């Protein structure tokens, strides 16, 4: 039986059952009611006739009795009266009555009830002055007729209900269940067959929740299909472009399925309370954009400082939460720090000590013994967290990130000599003289050399590091293999230029006008800057160049606009707070200088100081005509690469500081010295006026570079070298 028939039959059966039960009780009630009425009327009649009729018993005067009966005959249902001896024999009776009738029940002076057969009702009343009794007969045929009527009405009501229920059920099943199922099934069939890709899922109605799950499945299927096709294309063309799937397979193969543990101070997802609800925030950090694709591809655990104010509410008993929230692929293990620890380790030693020490940006490093103590203690705290994550795993892989954890490699390696440990230093490494001012340089270098593989973005930083080691420690440096040997352990020191993933099929291009309107920018040529508000980023130098460009090229007044998306960063540190003010003041000064009646509402610099979500920044990359990266010193700078990797319709133009790691690869950018305001202003003009062909040539060449040296390749190279590490300490 089809589901619909079963559904209709069940509903009809249930309705019939309920209706029959209901009618049964109604009929019973009707019967009781009519009988009570007859009893009542019969008793009244018998009572009132008794006195008048009693003398007639002795005389057996049937005529007189009939007269009395006729007098009451007006009463609708009266059928006759009879008088009886005590044993029930009829003494006198009106015509048409039964021959005999039983006396009232013993002890009763009035006894009413239906006579078997149901057509007559009798009330018997004992006579008062002589033995015997009087019977009053009434017509009772209407009792059964009334009951039958109730059943008849019940039947028709049921019939109407059944028809209505069936019609409504069929309607709902047809239009609200079967139709969406058919539409969804057809849509799924199309997806499976690879037709109508990107077609929106039809509205789900009742099946809404199921439909959105199906949409997720279809998306995964589409991604998997695209990956498989890309792989096939690559195999066919003999190229070797790295994809997430390729990295995944590669890592599985090289690490023999060992879980990967990444340690980085900054967590990739922060839970914060906003307007009474918990929101997920993606921090603005090059490190996060660089490292996450690897964990997404390979799975594993990311150990980080839980810095969000709702972080504790969202972890399980082991301080873990699965991420990304929308499609969990790996675990985030949070480590909790007290305010003193965070102040000393993160703000103090890492960001007021090591950060300015490694970046040549003319900010004086601050070295405080208390900060160093906390730095040491927090490295130990993270070491304990990592050791608990790799407990029981033979030869685990630990990928440590950045200058927050210089001491961690040694701590882990001492406890777990079988672990394969890498440390990637995301910021520059200065020359030995510059680094030598750090009072704890030996401890730092010693901690770092606990790693089996030590990575920097570029060879120049590796060389600086090896020279620093050479001056600071007793050890053997193998300049041919770029390895440092101390006792039984050797550390490979290599450049791994970090990168990004190419943005594929990002959907329809956003509207440049609308984006500009959203920040109050006006003009036709859009230049973009995206930074954490950090003194190493050369933001003020960039603004000065915009000023100079407009001064030298007034034709662009009203047409050229520079939008700076600046994310406040490390604002607990005074220098960073001052910087935000300086940047704002500089933008205001320059804007005020170019105010004119001719270009109403236009200003050359639009500064949007806020945390900008990644997808929002991605939209700007897709429409900006120019992107300017003018860092005074930068390990790599992923903004430059993200801009080039964006899914755009037209080629863009990139202005790039020669003091970034990225400038070693993106040689077709307009390379500038950010301190040279004239040169950056010239580069702006060049970018604006570049011939379309030249623009396209440079653009394609930069994209080609990133396509080949993407983030998956970075991960694969690191994994390769880690897998090659010989745990007996011999060179690989
Ligand atoms: C930049 C650097 C990274 C560093 C990060 C820290 O992205 O390139 O090496 O880890 O800043 O930023 P944060 O906001 O976590 O202090």
């Amino acid at each position: 039986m089809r589901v619909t028939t079963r559904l209709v039959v069940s509903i009809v059966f249930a309705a019939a059952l309920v209706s029959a039960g209901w009618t049964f009780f109604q009929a019973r009630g009707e019967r009781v009611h009519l009988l009570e009425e007859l009893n009542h009327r019969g008793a009244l009649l018998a009572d009132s006739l008794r006195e008048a009729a009693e003398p007639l018993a002795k005389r057996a005067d049937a005529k007189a009795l009939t007269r009395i009966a006729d007098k009451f005959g007006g009463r609708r249902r009266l059928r006759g009266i009879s008088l009886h001896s005590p044993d029930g024999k009829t003494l006198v009776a009106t015509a048409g009555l039964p021959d005999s009738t039983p006396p009232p029940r013993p002890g009763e002076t009035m006894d009413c009830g239906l006579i078997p057969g149901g057509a007559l009702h009798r009330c018997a009343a004992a006579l008062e002055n002589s033995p015997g009794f009087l019977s009053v007969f009434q017509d009772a045929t209407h009792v059964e007729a009334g009951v039958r009527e109730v059943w008849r009405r019940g039947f028709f009501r049921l019939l109407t209900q059944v028809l209505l229920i069936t019609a409504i059920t069929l309607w709902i099943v047809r239009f609200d269940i079967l139709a969406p199922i058919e539409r969804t099934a057809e849509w799924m069939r199309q997806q499976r067959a690879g037709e109508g890709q990107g077609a929106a899922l039809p509205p789900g109605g009742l099946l809404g929740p199921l439909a959105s799950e199906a949409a997720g499945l279809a998306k995964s299927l589409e991604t998997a299909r695209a990956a498989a096709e890309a792989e096939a294309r690559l195999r066919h063309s003999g190229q070797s472009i790295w994809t997430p799937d390729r990295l995944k397979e590669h890592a599985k193969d090289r690490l023999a399925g060992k879980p990967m543990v990444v340690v980085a101070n900054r967590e990739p997802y922060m839970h914060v309370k906003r307007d009474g609800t918990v929101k997920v925030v993606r921090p603005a950090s090059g490190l996060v954009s660089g490292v996450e694709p690897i964990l997404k591809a390979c799975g594993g655990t990311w150990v980080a400082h839980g810095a969000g104010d709702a972080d504790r509410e969202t972890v399980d008993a082991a301080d873990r939460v699965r991420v990304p929230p929308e499609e969990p692929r790996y675990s985030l293990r949070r480590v909790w720090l007290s305010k003193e620890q965070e102040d000393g380790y993160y703000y103090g030693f890492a960001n007021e000590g090591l950060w300015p020490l490694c970046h040549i940006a003319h900010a004086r490093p601050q070295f405080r013994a208390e900060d160093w103590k906390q730095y040491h203690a927090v490295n130990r705290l993270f070491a304990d967290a990592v050791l608990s994550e790799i407990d029981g795993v033979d030869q685990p892989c630990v990928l440590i990130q950045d200058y927050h954890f210089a001491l961690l490699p040694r701590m882990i390696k001492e406890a777990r000599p079988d672990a394969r440990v890498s440390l990637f230093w995301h910021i520059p490494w200065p020359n030995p003289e510059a680094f030598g001012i750090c009072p704890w340089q030996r401890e730092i270098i010693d901690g770092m050399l606990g790693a089996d593989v030590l990575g920097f973005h570029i060879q120049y930083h590796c060389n600086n590091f090896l020279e620093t080691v050479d001056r600071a420690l007793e050890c053997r440096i193998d300049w041919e293999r770029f390895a440092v040997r101390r006792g039984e352990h050797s550390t490979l020191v290599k450049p791994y230029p970090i990168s990004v993933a190419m943005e594929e099929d990002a959907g329809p291009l956003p509207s440049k006008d609308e984006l500009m309107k959203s920040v109050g920018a006006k003009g036709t040529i859009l230049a973009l800057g995206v930074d954490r508000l950090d003194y190493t980023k050369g933001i003020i130098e960039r603004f000065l160049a915009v000023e100079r460009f407009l001064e030298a090229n007034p034709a662009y007044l009203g047409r050229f606009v520079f939008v700076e998306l600046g994310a406040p960063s490390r604002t607990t540190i005074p220098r960073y707070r001052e910087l935000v003010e300086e940047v704002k003041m500089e933008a205001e000064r320059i804007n005020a200088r170019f105010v004119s009646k001719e270009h109403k509402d236009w200003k050359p610099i639009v500064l949007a100081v806020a945390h900008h979500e990644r997808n929002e920044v991605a939209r700007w990359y897709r429409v900006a005509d120019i992107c300017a990266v003018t860092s005074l010193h930068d390990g790599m700078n992923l903004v430059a690469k993200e801009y080039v990797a964006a899914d755009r319709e037209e080629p863009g133009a990139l202005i790039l500081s020669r003091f970034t790691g990225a400038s070693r690869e993106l040689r077709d950018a307009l390379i500038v010295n950010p301190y040279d305001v004239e040169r950056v202003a010239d580069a702006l003009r060049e970018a604006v006026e570049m011939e379309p062909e030249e623009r396209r040539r440079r653009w394609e060449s930069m994209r080609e570079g990133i396509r080949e040296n993407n983030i998956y390749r970075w991960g694969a190279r690191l994994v390769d070298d880690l897998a090659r590490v010989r745990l007996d300490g011999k060179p690989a």
Side-chain angles (χ1 to χ4, degrees):
M1 212 188 316
R2 281 185 53 197
V3 177
T4 317
T5 319
R6 270 211 306 269
L7 187 66
V8 170
V9 169
S10 318
I11 294 177
V12 166
F13 179 73
L17 207 67
V18 171
S19 188
W22 179 253
T23 311
F24 172 77
F25 286 108
Q26 256 192 333
R28 208 165 70 168
E30 178 73 2
R31 188 183 168 79
V32 168
H33 168 72
L34 292 173
L35 272 178
E36 273 172 1
E37 213 175 62
L38 280 175
N39 288 349
H40 180 67
R41 268 219 327 261
L44 272 179
L45 270 172
D47 214 25
S48 37
L49 286 169
R50 190 158 42 184
E51 206 177 325
E54 193 168 346
L56 304 179
K58 286 196 195 108
R59 297 195 328 247
D61 188 345
K63 273 195 187 147
L65 195 62
T66 307
R67 270 199 309 278
I68 294 172
D70 287 347
K71 222 164 96 189
F72 286 89
R75 318 265 158 136
R76 270 194 302 140
R77 303 198 185 282
L78 184 63
R79 287 277 302 275
I81 308 165
S82 56
L83 288 160
H84 307 269
S85 61
D87 59 359
K89 218 170 112 215
T90 305
L91 301 175
V92 57
T94 55
L97 296 182
D99 292 344
S100 70
T101 182
R105 278 169 292 172
E108 302 273 347
T109 54
M110 182 70 74
D111 186 8
C112 296
L114 277 181
I115 290 188
L120 273 183
H121 174 272
R122 184 203 68 156
C123 270
L127 296 175
E128 281 174 349
N129 304 316
S130 53
F133 63 93
L134 168 106
S135 288
V136 171
F137 292 90
Q138 295 183 88
D139 182 9
T141 48
H142 70 289
V143 174
E144 286 314 314
V147 170
R148 269 200 307 280
E149 178 59 18
V150 169
W151 278 107
R152 199 181 63 83
R153 279 203 307 264
F155 173 74
F156 281 111
R157 195 174 48 227
L158 174 67
L159 198 66
T160 321
Q161 277 173 357
V162 164
L163 287 176
L164 273 175
I165 290 174
T166 309
I168 293 172
T169 310
L170 289 177
W171 174 277
I172 292 177
V173 168
R174 176 77 199 90
F175 293 101
D176 283 338
I177 300 178
L178 290 181
I181 290 181
E182 277 163 17
R183 284 197 300 268
T184 308
E186 172 56 19
W187 174 82
M188 285 173 109
R189 191 199 60 72
Q190 283 178 5
Q191 301 296 316
R192 188 168 44 79
E195 301 160 9
Q197 268 169 23
L201 180 65
L206 272 182
L207 306 172
L210 205 65
S212 57
E213 277 305 311
L217 278 179
K219 195 151 189 297
S220 310
L221 182 69
E222 209 175 297
T223 317
R225 184 180 289 122
E229 281 168 5
E231 282 294 321
R233 264 200 313 274
L234 291 177
R235 243 176 277 128
H236 181 67
S237 63
Q239 287 179 9
S240 57
I241 287 179
W242 284 88
T243 62
D245 286 325
R246 186 169 166 202
L247 171 62
K248 191 170 167 182
E249 289 312 313
H250 185 81
K252 256 199 236 158
D253 178 48
R254 295 297 149 100
L255 305 177
K258 299 266 158 49
M260 178 121 65
V261 176
V262 167
V263 193
N265 171 72
R266 184 59 68 197
E267 50 184 348
Y269 298 90
M270 240 177 181
H271 287 95
V272 295
K273 287 181 197 147
R274 298 258 166 90
D275 311 321
T277 54
V278 173
K279 294 244 158 61
V280 180
V281 171
R282 302 266 288 126
S285 155
L287 184 152
V288 171
S289 0
V291 177
E292 197 193 20
I294 298 174
L295 267 191
K296 270 190 176 168
C298 304
T301 305
W302 181 311
V303 183
H305 169 210
D309 56 5
D311 274 357
R312 283 179 196 264
E313 292 166 27
T314 40
V315 291
D316 63 13
D319 295 330
R320 291 198 197 107
V321 56
R322 296 280 298 163
V323 289
E326 64 285 359
E327 198 182 2
R329 298 268 184 84
Y330 64 95
S331 293
L332 168 59
R333 159 85 188 264
R334 286 174 171 149
V335 175
W336 313 113
L337 301 183
S338 67
K339 184 167 175 334
E340 288 75 46
Q341 286 170 330
E342 192 182 0
D343 284 349
Y345 139 84
Y346 173 75
Y347 289 111
F349 195 73
N351 284 317
E352 283 195 289
L354 288 177
W355 180 269
L357 178 72
C358 292
H359 289 91
I360 311 298
H362 316 288
R364 190 180 197 278
Q366 307 285 327
F367 296 117
R368 291 178 285 256
E370 179 53 29
D371 291 349
W372 169 246
K373 209 176 102 198
Q374 292 295 2
Y375 185 82
H376 193 282
V378 172
N379 270 244
R380 169 63 57 206
L381 207 63
F382 272 81
D384 293 344
V386 173
L387 291 173
S388 78
E389 291 295 326
I390 58 177
D391 191 28
V393 182
D394 184 40
Q395 299 189 3
C397 278
V398 183
L399 280 73
I400 303 169
Q401 310 298 319
D402 237 347
Y403 58 101
H404 310 88
F405 298 118
L407 308 181
L408 197 54
R410 167 91 42 227
M411 289 174 178
I412 292 175
K413 209 58 187 178
E414 269 171 4
R416 288 292 304 268
D418 68 319
R420 296 170 191 276
V421 178
S422 71
L423 169 64
F424 190 79
W425 199 260
H426 288 254
I427 61 175
W429 190 277
N431 61 48
E433 290 76 22
F435 198 82
I437 66 166
C438 175
W440 299 283
Q441 70 154 335
R442 293 168 67 89
E443 288 86 338
I444 288 173
I445 295 169
D446 177 63
M448 293 170 76
L449 289 175
D452 301 301
V453 176
L454 178 53
F456 293 92
H457 288 300
I458 55 175
Q459 184 64 52
Y460 181 61
H461 298 154
C462 296
N463 296 352
N464 279 349
F465 176 77
L466 288 174
E467 278 168 21
T468 312
V469 173
D470 203 15
R471 300 227 192 146
L473 292 184
E474 273 297 312
C475 57
R476 203 147 49 77
I477 296 180
D478 180 344
W479 283 99
E480 241 166 58
R481 291 183 52 253
F482 288 97
V484 181
R485 197 155 175 82
R486 293 183 78 209
E488 287 306 295
H489 182 248
S490 79
T491 304
L492 185 68
V493 180
K494 259 180 89 165
Y496 301 88
I498 201 167
S499 193
V500 296
M502 291 298 281
E503 188 182 45
E504 312 275 2
D505 302 327
L509 210 61
S511 148
K512 180 171 158 185
D513 287 346
E514 272 173 30
L515 269 180
M516 286 173 56
K517 219 160 121 193
S518 72
V519 294
K522 273 184 85 176
T524 48
I525 305 162
L526 169 64
L528 179 70
V530 179
D531 306 89
R532 277 184 312 101
L533 289 174
D534 194 297
Y535 52 82
T536 59
K537 301 293 178 186
I539 301 169
I540 291 186
E541 286 74 4
R542 201 178 305 165
F543 288 176
L544 292 176
V546 170
E547 179 183 24
R548 181 72 196 114
F549 162 70
L550 290 172
E551 204 175 59
N553 304 281
Y556 292 108
L557 292 175
R559 291 167 59 201
F560 174 95
V561 61
F562 189 88
V563 173
E564 172 68 33
L565 305 179
S569 170
R570 306 173 190 167
T571 43
T572 305
I573 300 173
R575 180 67 196 101
Y576 282 81
R577 277 201 306 276
E578 285 159 21
L579 180 82
V580 176
E581 288 318 306
E582 284 166 20
V583 167
K584 281 184 183 164
M585 274 164 52
E586 201 54 21
E588 275 165 26
R589 182 190 66 74
I590 296 168
N591 286 342
R593 204 188 138 183
F594 291 102
V595 166
S596 80
K597 285 209 188 81
E598 204 183 327
H599 308 294
K600 261 183 86 212
D601 300 334
W602 171 82
K603 49 185 175 180
I605 298 176
V606 174
L607 175 61
V609 176
H611 170 82
H612 301 276
E613 290 295 333
R614 288 177 65 77
N615 52 6
E616 188 193 342
V617 176
R619 282 199 288 276
W620 283 96
Y621 286 146
R622 297 183 69 194
V623 298
D625 304 295
I626 300 163
C627 179
V629 173
T630 53
S631 310
L632 305 181
H633 203 188
D634 219 330
M636 172 55 71
N637 193 293
L638 287 183
V639 168
K641 290 192 171 179
E642 279 168 358
Y643 176 64
V644 174
D647 182 16
R648 298 167 53 93
E649 237 160 46
E650 294 298 325
L654 175 67
I655 296 174
L656 183 58
S657 157
R658 53 181 276 220
F659 305 125
T660 60
S663 67
R664 314 284 165 124
E665 294 171 75
L666 300 174
R667 292 185 183 273
D668 279 301
L670 297 165
I671 306 287
V672 295
N673 169 359
Y675 293 96
D676 182 349
V677 174
E678 288 295 329
R679 168 66 194 121
V680 184
D682 266 358
L684 280 170
R685 190 188 40 75
E686 254 183 83
V688 172
E689 295 177 356
M690 195 181 288
E691 290 298 324
E693 253 175 49
E694 171 69 358
R695 201 178 171 90
R696 186 165 293 282
R697 186 195 62 73
R698 286 174 180 259
W699 187 246
E700 288 308 331
S701 137
M702 289 193 290
R703 278 178 70 82
E704 198 46 42
I706 292 186
R707 199 172 283 124
E708 271 178 32
N709 296 304
N710 63 12
I711 184 65
Y712 307 112
R713 179 160 189 257
W714 180 81
R717 289 188 57 226
L718 210 56
V719 164
D720 263 351
D721 287 342
L722 255 192
R724 265 201 286 270
V725 163
R726 286 190 50 173
L727 294 168
D728 58 7
K730 302 249 166 55

